[in-house]
Amino acid sequence: MYIIDQYSMKQKDETEQYIHYDNCIYTIIEDNRYQRDEEVINQKLFESTLEWGKTRGLKSKGIAFIKTRLITYRDHDEKAYLEIFIPVE
């Protein structure tokens, strides 16, 4: 699990680069390392998220950012929860 501090513009270091987009579609998916057809399922989830945004007038900028939010192990099964940010216009 990540432990983070709230970001403040006062802390900004001019030598560092930050990724910033005003509007994004945000979702979390559960990823199982040993799941069969994992890539197909993740691709379908991603495509359905894009379609959801399209129905609401949101147009993808053609990129996405995925961040591991949590990895857990339960009942002999490893699961990861991934945050997905899709910048939109």
Side-chain angles (χ1 to χ4, degrees):
M1 181 180 352
Y2 294 110
I3 300 174
I4 60 171
D5 291 327
Q6 187 170 354
Y7 175 77
S8 168
M9 289 302 285
K10 293 177 185 175
Q11 296 173 330
K12 185 174 180 182
D13 181 353
E14 296 300 324
T15 61
E16 293 185 30
Q17 295 181 359
Y18 295 89
I19 298 172
H20 176 80
Y21 291 93
D22 289 328
N23 296 306
C24 291
I25 296 173
Y26 172 80
T27 189
I28 296 177
I29 65 167
E30 179 183 318
D31 190 24
N32 183 329
R33 186 166 116 172
Y34 302 106
Q35 182 176 348
R36 294 182 347 185
D37 300 326
E38 174 182 335
E39 291 180 24
V40 173
I41 292 170
N42 288 344
Q43 184 64 32
K44 286 181 182 178
L45 286 170
F46 184 71
E47 289 171 1
S48 68
T49 301
L50 289 177
E51 189 59 37
W52 176 89
K54 225 185 251 187
T55 62
R56 284 154 180 80
L58 303 172
K59 182 180 175 190
S60 170
K61 292 190 175 187
I63 58 173
F65 301 96
I66 301 173
K67 180 172 105 174
T68 303
R69 187 66 175 155
L70 175 69
I71 299 174
T72 185
Y73 186 77
R74 184 175 180 197
D75 298 329
H76 306 289
D77 193 19
E78 179 183 289
K79 293 189 185 219
Y81 295 88
L82 308 174
E83 284 184 305
I84 301 175
F85 298 87
I86 305 169
V88 294
E89 297 176 4

